Amino acid sequence: MLTTVLPFLCILPPLAYGVISLGCARSYFGRRRPAPGHTPPISILKPVKGMDAGSFDNFASFCRQEYPAPVQIIFACADAADPVIPVIGRLMAEFPAIDMDLVVDATLYGPNHKVSNLINAFPRAKHELLIVCDSDIRVSPDYLREVAAPFADQQVGLVTSLYRSPGVAGAATAVEAMGFTVEMIPNVMVAMKLEGLSFALGASMAVRREALESIGGFPALADYLADDYQLGNKVHKAGWRLELSDCFVESVMHREDLATVLSRQLRWSRTMRVSRPGGYLGSGITQSFPMACLALALSGLSGAGWGAVLLLYLVRAAVAMAFSRCYVKDGIFPRWLWLLPLRDFLAFATWALSFAGNRVRWRGNLFRLLPGGKIVELPKTFETRSNGATE
């Protein structure tokens, strides 16, 4: 009797979490949305390093906005020889009516080189509403209208956006992209329902200048790896309200191999572990793969164990399909649904490995993570001595 019941008790946490996340998503996406009407002038700060997939089209999407107020775009780069600079030059030539600027400055203010780029670009920003957006992000023509609208409320200090990756190329890229759909977005939905929004997502962050200055500006983020999480959390703690935009942005991905994808996933996992240690540790029981394995082990591989696993993955697949087709609308499922168990295995593997070290590689540099999320850049000689074992 016990071996029949135990497998189903094992799968209960991930099963319940999946259903709860779907309910939270239905509540959020099904709410009544006010029509966007607040359109203040905007300065977009875009730190860049190297080429991304479709760099020109990514940048150009910000130049094709249906937005009535002045928009300024400031690119910030540390190296005058960076291959992305000619792309920015072409962009300026093709969109001469857009107020665009390029800041090339290698000055560092901390180990987070992206934040140093932002600090170098900030003095050129003309407007009170600032947007920080990753270089691999592409947006729809209504993006600025949607992101600016919540700032009509003077208590709103920051607006962030969910992101998706439609049109993925290859199985390895699909494994990463489905993580947005079946992990990141469900987690955000549940977090918002339980505690409200207290963090930002780095793909797109719009912040009121006054709110940014209230936390010490961009220099307050220069020592952290997860500058997006820290920006949102610090603005939240300073007494401002955070909002989630209704407009998705798109993360445009290269075709990559699985090793590269897993290296990036491990960096994200270790970053989340030091940023939200309690919640991250507890998230282990909501993961499907380890709970399915536990159900099989406790049942002695009996029919009850396999029945529990089948039930879990039927529900898991249904929830994933609902998120993908109804809410995220990324087109990943059902085409890549067969990869869902592999995605769950890799998610658990990176979760477990995140506790096994504190080194991460980011944009070609090696860092050590410290408690609380701060980082220290490691010298190249350290990398040589470690024989390339960077993760």
Side-chain angles (χ1 to χ4, degrees):
M1 177 65 177
L2 188 60
T3 56
T4 301
V5 175
L6 274 179
F8 291 92
L9 292 178
C10 290
I11 67 166
L12 190 58
L15 196 69
Y17 187 82
V19 173
I20 290 170
S21 68
L22 189 58
C24 293
R26 181 179 180 183
S27 173
Y28 174 76
F29 289 104
R31 77 195 192 287
R32 294 188 63 181
R33 308 176 191 180
H38 183 62
T39 55
I42 291 174
S43 291
I44 301 172
L45 308 183
K46 191 168 281 289
V48 294
K49 181 179 180 180
M51 297 289 290
D52 296 298
S55 286
F56 180 83
D57 290 330
N58 297 342
F59 299 157
S61 69
F62 290 86
C63 301
R64 298 184 176 117
Q65 291 296 298
E66 298 170 355
Y67 196 74
V71 176
Q72 176 194 24
I73 304 176
I74 308 171
F75 295 94
C77 183
D79 184 359
D82 195 298
V84 78
I85 290 180
V87 177
I88 296 171
R90 176 190 164 196
L91 190 77
M92 291 177 172
E94 292 199 18
F95 296 93
I98 303 294
D99 181 4
M100 272 188 274
D101 202 353
L102 170 63
V103 176
V104 181
D105 191 336
T107 305
L108 293 176
Y109 301 88
N112 188 317
H113 297 189
K114 170 188 168 183
V115 172
S116 290
N117 280 344
L118 291 172
I119 295 171
N120 292 329
F122 181 72
R124 304 277 187 96
K126 301 175 181 178
H127 305 305
E128 294 303 307
L129 185 57
L130 308 170
I131 292 180
V132 177
C133 219
D134 285 346
S135 58
D136 62 347
I137 293 301
R138 193 172 299 176
V139 296
S140 59
D142 62 343
Y143 164 75
L144 290 182
R145 282 184 177 273
E146 293 287 349
V147 167
F151 287 99
D153 185 337
Q154 294 300 310
Q155 296 302 310
V156 173
L158 182 146
V159 175
T160 193
S161 303
L162 296 171
Y163 49 97
R164 61 191 174 197
S165 287
V168 297
T173 309
V175 165
E176 180 167 14
M178 71 172 62
F180 304 154
T181 307
V182 302
E183 293 168 24
M184 183 271 289
I185 293 174
N187 290 344
V188 171
M189 294 292 103
V190 174
M192 287 181 60
K193 181 64 72 173
L194 292 180
E195 58 186 34
L197 192 62
S198 61
F199 53 88
L201 303 169
S204 168
M205 302 179 291
V207 61
R208 196 185 297 272
R209 185 186 290 261
E210 183 183 353
L212 179 64
E213 292 173 347
S214 73
I215 67 167
F218 289 121
L221 312 175
D223 292 327
Y224 293 92
L225 178 60
D227 51 273
D228 51 353
Y229 173 83
Q230 294 294 334
L231 175 60
N233 195 244
K234 288 179 183 294
V235 168
H236 170 72
K237 288 180 177 178
W240 298 89
R241 195 167 82 248
L242 275 56
E243 291 286 344
L244 185 66
S245 170
D246 292 324
C247 185
F248 277 85
V249 300
E250 296 186 359
S251 176
V252 182
M253 295 181 175
H254 285 289
R255 181 186 290 271
E256 295 178 315
D257 58 34
L258 192 57
T260 302
V261 169
L262 291 180
S263 176
R264 186 163 50 246
Q265 294 283 314
L266 183 57
R267 186 187 82 227
W268 291 345
S269 295
R270 286 181 175 167
T271 302
M272 289 186 286
R273 173 177 62 80
V274 296
S275 298
R276 295 171 61 94
Y280 185 74
L281 178 63
S283 69
I285 67 169
T286 66
Q287 293 199 27
S288 297
F289 183 81
M291 296 299 105
C293 291
L294 184 59
L296 288 173
L298 292 179
S299 71
L301 301 180
S302 69
W306 286 108
V309 171
L310 178 62
L311 173 62
L312 173 60
Y313 269 92
L314 285 174
V315 174
R316 175 82 167 139
V319 171
M321 283 285 291
F323 268 98
S324 178
R325 306 292 290 182
C326 301
Y327 303 128
V328 184
K329 298 178 181 178
D330 54 10
I332 291 178
F333 299 126
R335 179 185 177 188
W336 298 105
L337 193 60
W338 60 277
L339 282 174
L340 186 58
L342 174 62
R343 170 68 213 183
D344 287 346
F345 165 71
L346 296 176
F348 173 65
T350 53
W351 178 86
L353 286 172
S354 71
F355 295 97
N358 291 305
R359 284 182 289 152
V360 296
R361 180 178 294 283
W362 184 35
R363 290 281 187 173
N365 298 298
L366 189 63
F367 301 90
R368 182 182 299 280
L369 277 167
L370 303 177
K374 290 189 175 183
I375 51 174
V376 175
E377 187 168 358
L378 299 175
K380 296 296 183 182
T381 53
F382 182 92
E383 182 176 357
T384 302
R385 291 196 306 270
S386 65
N387 295 318
T390 60
E391 301 298 346

Short mmCIF file of all heavy atoms in Angstrom, two decimals, residues 15 17 44 52 115 170 180 207 246 310 316 330 383:
data_model
loop_
_atom_site.label_atom_id
_atom_site.label_comp_id
_atom_site.label_asym_id
_atom_site.label_seq_id
_atom_site.Cartn_x
_atom_site.Cartn_y
_atom_site.Cartn_z
N LEU A 15 3.76 18.75 -9.44
CA LEU A 15 2.44 18.70 -10.06
C LEU A 15 1.61 19.91 -9.63
O LEU A 15 1.03 20.62 -10.47
CB LEU A 15 1.73 17.41 -9.65
CG LEU A 15 0.52 16.97 -10.46
CD1 LEU A 15 0.93 16.54 -11.86
CD2 LEU A 15 -0.19 15.81 -9.76
N TYR A 17 2.74 22.71 -8.32
CA TYR A 17 3.37 23.95 -8.74
C TYR A 17 3.02 24.28 -10.19
O TYR A 17 2.74 25.43 -10.53
CB TYR A 17 4.88 23.86 -8.58
CG TYR A 17 5.60 25.17 -8.83
CD1 TYR A 17 5.67 26.13 -7.84
CD2 TYR A 17 6.18 25.44 -10.07
CE1 TYR A 17 6.32 27.34 -8.06
CE2 TYR A 17 6.83 26.65 -10.30
CZ TYR A 17 6.89 27.59 -9.29
OH TYR A 17 7.53 28.79 -9.53
N ILE A 44 17.16 55.46 -24.45
CA ILE A 44 17.46 54.02 -24.43
C ILE A 44 18.97 53.85 -24.33
O ILE A 44 19.72 54.33 -25.19
CB ILE A 44 16.93 53.33 -25.70
CG1 ILE A 44 15.41 53.52 -25.82
CG2 ILE A 44 17.28 51.83 -25.67
CD1 ILE A 44 14.84 53.04 -27.15
N ASP A 52 25.82 39.93 -32.03
CA ASP A 52 24.79 38.97 -31.68
C ASP A 52 24.10 38.50 -32.96
O ASP A 52 24.34 39.03 -34.05
CB ASP A 52 23.74 39.62 -30.75
CG ASP A 52 24.33 40.04 -29.42
OD1 ASP A 52 24.81 39.17 -28.69
OD2 ASP A 52 24.31 41.26 -29.12
N VAL A 115 27.70 47.16 -16.67
CA VAL A 115 27.30 48.32 -15.87
C VAL A 115 28.27 49.48 -16.08
O VAL A 115 27.86 50.64 -16.12
CB VAL A 115 27.19 47.94 -14.38
CG1 VAL A 115 26.97 49.18 -13.52
CG2 VAL A 115 26.04 46.95 -14.16
N GLY A 170 17.61 24.69 -34.13
CA GLY A 170 18.29 23.52 -33.59
C GLY A 170 17.85 23.14 -32.19
O GLY A 170 17.30 23.96 -31.44
N PHE A 180 12.65 29.55 -20.92
CA PHE A 180 11.88 30.77 -20.68
C PHE A 180 10.41 30.43 -20.49
O PHE A 180 9.73 30.99 -19.63
CB PHE A 180 12.01 31.74 -21.87
CG PHE A 180 13.42 32.11 -22.24
CD1 PHE A 180 13.73 32.50 -23.54
CD2 PHE A 180 14.44 32.09 -21.31
CE1 PHE A 180 15.02 32.85 -23.89
CE2 PHE A 180 15.74 32.45 -21.64
CZ PHE A 180 16.02 32.83 -22.95
N VAL A 207 13.34 52.51 -16.31
CA VAL A 207 13.43 53.03 -14.95
C VAL A 207 13.31 54.55 -14.97
O VAL A 207 13.86 55.23 -15.83
CB VAL A 207 14.74 52.57 -14.27
CG1 VAL A 207 15.97 53.09 -15.02
CG2 VAL A 207 14.78 52.97 -12.80
N ASP A 246 3.05 44.36 -20.43
CA ASP A 246 2.28 43.36 -21.18
C ASP A 246 2.94 43.01 -22.51
O ASP A 246 2.49 42.11 -23.21
CB ASP A 246 0.87 43.89 -21.46
CG ASP A 246 0.05 44.01 -20.19
OD1 ASP A 246 0.21 43.16 -19.30
OD2 ASP A 246 -0.74 44.97 -20.07
N LEU A 310 4.10 9.05 -15.38
CA LEU A 310 3.27 9.34 -16.55
C LEU A 310 2.29 10.47 -16.25
O LEU A 310 2.11 11.37 -17.07
CB LEU A 310 2.52 8.07 -16.97
CG LEU A 310 1.57 8.23 -18.16
CD1 LEU A 310 2.34 8.64 -19.40
CD2 LEU A 310 0.81 6.92 -18.40
N ARG A 316 2.59 18.03 -16.93
CA ARG A 316 3.71 18.92 -17.28
C ARG A 316 3.61 19.34 -18.75
O ARG A 316 3.79 20.51 -19.08
CB ARG A 316 5.03 18.18 -17.03
CG ARG A 316 6.29 18.93 -17.45
CD ARG A 316 6.70 19.91 -16.41
NE ARG A 316 8.05 20.40 -16.64
CZ ARG A 316 8.40 21.67 -16.49
NH1 ARG A 316 7.51 22.57 -16.12
NH2 ARG A 316 9.65 22.05 -16.68
N ASP A 330 5.21 31.54 -28.39
CA ASP A 330 6.54 31.48 -28.98
C ASP A 330 6.68 30.42 -30.06
O ASP A 330 7.72 30.33 -30.72
CB ASP A 330 7.58 31.22 -27.89
CG ASP A 330 7.27 29.98 -27.05
OD1 ASP A 330 6.35 29.22 -27.43
OD2 ASP A 330 7.93 29.79 -26.03
N GLU A 383 43.10 31.66 -14.69
CA GLU A 383 42.44 30.78 -15.65
C GLU A 383 43.44 29.78 -16.23
O GLU A 383 43.14 28.61 -16.43
CB GLU A 383 41.83 31.61 -16.77
CG GLU A 383 41.08 30.77 -17.79
CD GLU A 383 40.40 31.62 -18.83
OE1 GLU A 383 40.47 32.85 -18.72
OE2 GLU A 383 39.80 31.05 -19.76
#
